[in-house]
Amino acid sequence: MTLVHEIISLYIWILIIAALLSWFPASSSSGGLATTQRIFAVMTEPVLRPLRQVLPRPRAGGVVIDFSVLVAVILLLFINRII
């Protein structure tokens, strides 16, 4: 069970890092930041895409707020606590 807990904890950190990286615009599509953002997107989109389809995306001013990462982290923490 410890391995499962560690994997869930690692994935939570991956989600958080991906969310933080999304705040920084990549200057080119072939740069290191853009490559890193794509790698994290490949790892996180399978979980976040279904949540984005279900959750409403409220607007604050001209910015759309994406709560899918927050919901995913809360769900994973809940699952990690249960098992």
Side-chain angles (χ1 to χ4, degrees), residues 5-68:
H5 290 290
E6 293 297 324
I7 290 172
I8 291 173
S9 296
L10 177 64
Y11 195 74
I12 289 170
W13 280 108
I14 289 170
L15 286 168
I16 292 169
I17 292 168
L20 292 174
L21 284 174
S22 71
W23 294 352
F24 300 100
S27 58
S28 71
S29 62
S30 62
L33 180 60
T35 303
T36 305
Q37 287 173 334
R38 280 194 301 273
I39 290 169
F40 276 93
V42 166
M43 291 189 286
T44 59
E45 280 303 308
V47 171
L48 297 179
R49 189 178 306 117
L51 289 174
R52 286 185 182 128
Q53 291 174 352
V54 174
L55 294 172
R57 297 183 73 178
R59 297 184 73 81
V63 179
V64 175
I65 301 174
D66 184 10
F67 287 112
S68 61

